Amino acid sequence: MIYGYARVSSKDQNLDTQFAALSKFGVDEIVHEKISGVAKQRPELDKLLDKLESGDTIVVIRMDRLGRSSRQLIELVEDFEARNINLVILDMNIDTRTPTGKFFLTIMAGFAEMERTILKEKQRNGIEIAKSKGVYEGRPKKYHKKHAGLKHAIELYKLNKYTVKEITGMTSVSRSTLYRALKEQEEKELVL
């Protein structure tokens, strides 16, 4: 059986182009979903992977439809190879039913991972430069000092009437956020 897998990252994106390419290839069934590629769980892909049998083929239009990292792709390809399942990536003319296709996929997955690593390194360098200039402050804190929920959580804690679990349930402030705020407050009091 030949399965096509189509995926887009957000609900407002369209799957029509992928459907057309997969249909043109001649897949027997198309499995699709709208979910981010970095999501740990991709329910439709997981179901497809579970039902694949020896000799089946999975077809995607691009490598990034299956996985975001070369590690993820290589693990999938190794799983496919162990289970005698074939992979076809249309935009690269990769067909793991051939030795050349298997080799080319490994090389391309390595380049994709290298590109992601370089981008992350550039981002880290950019952040360091921005920090040194005093421009970058990091992700904004969800609970700042004046946040009503955090203030209320601290007040409840100081009453000694409630457990931390009860306080976090009432205020929706996480345990770690509460403890971090209490520690900061304690450190300030020690300085004064």
Side-chain angles (χ1 to χ4, degrees):
M1 182 104 167
I2 300 174
Y3 295 95
Y5 176 69
R7 181 186 60 76
V8 289
S9 298
S10 64
K11 302 275 186 214
D12 59 339
Q13 289 179 312
N14 193 314
L15 288 161
D16 292 347
T17 306
Q18 292 181 58
F19 286 164
L22 294 170
S23 295
K24 184 178 177 184
F25 183 83
V27 300
D28 300 313
E29 181 182 330
I30 296 176
V31 175
H32 61 89
E33 60 191 334
K34 293 187 176 190
I35 192 165
S36 172
V38 294
K40 291 186 180 187
Q41 299 274 313
R42 287 177 283 169
E44 296 304 316
L45 178 60
D46 293 341
K47 285 182 209 170
L48 173 59
L49 295 175
D50 287 342
K51 79 176 182 179
L52 290 172
E53 296 177 358
S54 178
D56 285 346
T57 299
I58 184 168
V59 182
V60 294
I61 65 160
R62 289 193 322 264
M63 186 180 347
D64 67 349
R65 297 303 83 194
L66 279 179
R68 292 296 234 176
S69 68
S70 62
R71 175 197 227 158
Q72 196 176 35
L73 276 170
I74 289 170
E75 286 173 1
L76 264 178
V77 171
E78 286 173 353
D79 178 54
F80 290 166
E81 193 172 330
R83 295 169 53 197
N84 192 32
I85 295 165
N86 303 301
L87 174 64
V88 175
I89 302 173
L90 297 176
D91 74 332
M92 301 173 107
N93 292 320
I94 294 174
D95 187 341
T96 62
R97 295 175 287 193
T98 68
T100 307
K102 287 179 185 176
F103 172 73
F104 191 64
L105 177 65
T106 302
I107 298 298
M108 291 310 296
F111 280 122
E113 181 69 14
M114 183 177 74
E115 181 180 12
R116 281 180 54 84
T117 302
I118 289 169
L119 286 173
K120 284 182 181 179
E121 188 176 316
K122 284 181 180 179
Q123 180 185 23
R124 258 192 317 271
N125 291 340
I127 289 171
E128 289 304 316
I129 290 168
K131 280 181 178 178
S132 70
K133 292 179 178 179
V135 178
Y136 182 83
E137 296 177 7
R139 184 178 70 187
K141 290 185 178 181
K142 182 177 177 181
Y143 295 104
H144 48 80
K145 296 171 190 172
K146 295 179 182 175
H147 189 277
L150 182 57
K151 286 172 84 173
H152 184 59
I154 292 170
E155 290 166 4
L156 291 173
Y157 183 85
K158 288 183 176 181
L159 290 175
N160 285 326
K161 284 183 167 181
Y162 305 99
T163 65
V164 171
K165 186 175 183 176
E166 290 170 328
I167 294 169
T168 59
M170 288 186 274
T171 62
S172 298
V173 172
S174 73
R175 176 184 299 259
S176 58
T177 299
L178 175 59
Y179 282 134
R180 188 171 28 257
L182 290 168
K183 183 178 178 186
E184 286 173 7
Q185 199 173 54
E186 185 180 300
E187 288 172 355
K188 281 183 183 176
E189 289 171 4
L190 288 174
V191 171
L192 298 174

